[in-house]
Amino acid sequence: MVCGGFACSKNALCALNVVYMLVGLLLIGVAAWAKGLGLVSSIHIIGGVIAVGVFLLLIAVAGLVGAVNHHQVLLFFYMIILGLVFIFQFGISCSCLAINLSKQTDVINASWWVMSNKTRDELERSFDCCGLFNLTTLDQQDYAFCTAVSWSARAGAPHVRCVEKSFLSIQMKP
């Protein structure tokens, strides 16, 4: 049976929306799994991933229903929403690519001092590092009170700053 005309578009749109539904369910499942195992402790990150998964699932269901029932109004709004999502993602991607190293450093430094002590301790233990930058007296105090498990086990070993183990340090190397 040859696929042509609207039947081909309908089948392709149905297949694409089934894939979108699977991705939405996968996002929801991975977020729940990560929270269940305690891999991610931030409820905001888990909530954001679940919200994106639910949004994608709803959009996929709307597209699937519109394609199967030949519902032009539903397909029109489906197309508008996907266009807006594309524009949003494109804008975020461009802004992420346009940020230079000094701005990245400023954002990371500002985020570090806004974090709770519990979050900092979790990051230090996860990345096996202590402190962020060696810029201020406050940072020296943060570095001195590092509670990362591996540092207490290594008596006299030099501490590695968290920025030295991050994405930023990869860009800093010549």
Side-chain angles (χ1 to χ4, degrees):
M1 183 170 163
V2 177
C3 183
F6 185 73
C8 185
S9 299
K10 175 185 170 184
N11 292 338
L13 192 57
C14 288
L16 181 66
N17 282 306
V18 167
V19 170
Y20 282 164
M21 289 174 70
L22 292 175
V23 170
L25 290 171
L26 184 68
L27 282 171
I28 295 167
V30 166
W33 174 75
K35 181 63 179 166
L37 287 180
L39 297 175
V40 180
S41 63
S42 174
I43 193 70
H44 301 295
I45 293 172
I46 297 294
V49 172
I50 289 175
V52 168
V54 169
F55 177 74
L56 187 59
L57 192 62
L58 291 175
I59 295 301
V61 167
L64 191 61
V65 168
V68 169
N69 294 333
H70 305 281
H71 198 282
Q72 290 183 348
V73 175
L74 192 57
L75 287 174
F76 173 76
F77 283 112
Y78 171 77
M79 180 184 69
I80 295 296
I81 291 171
L82 282 184
L84 291 173
V85 167
F86 171 77
I87 291 169
F88 179 73
Q89 286 179 340
F90 185 73
I92 296 295
S93 299
C94 289
S95 65
C96 287
L97 290 173
I99 191 168
N100 59 17
L101 184 61
S102 66
K103 292 292 182 190
Q104 288 178 8
T105 304
D106 292 344
V107 168
I108 290 172
N109 196 22
S111 300
W112 183 262
W113 297 113
V114 173
M115 286 183 213
S116 68
N117 288 333
K118 180 184 174 193
T119 305
R120 275 192 226 151
D121 289 342
E122 287 178 9
L123 284 173
E124 288 174 344
R125 277 190 226 105
S126 295
F127 291 122
D128 196 21
C129 60
C130 287
L132 184 65
F133 294 113
N134 188 11
L135 301 175
T136 62
T137 308
L138 189 59
D139 182 65
Q140 291 291 338
Q141 291 170 353
D142 183 45
Y143 186 69
F145 295 115
C146 181
T147 59
V149 176
S150 63
W151 293 121
S152 61
R154 295 185 213 162
H159 294 343
V160 177
R161 303 233 182 250
C162 291
V163 74
E164 295 168 0
K165 290 201 166 196
S166 70
F167 174 73
L168 247 172
S169 65
I170 294 170
Q171 292 181 346
M172 289 182 189
K173 292 181 182 175

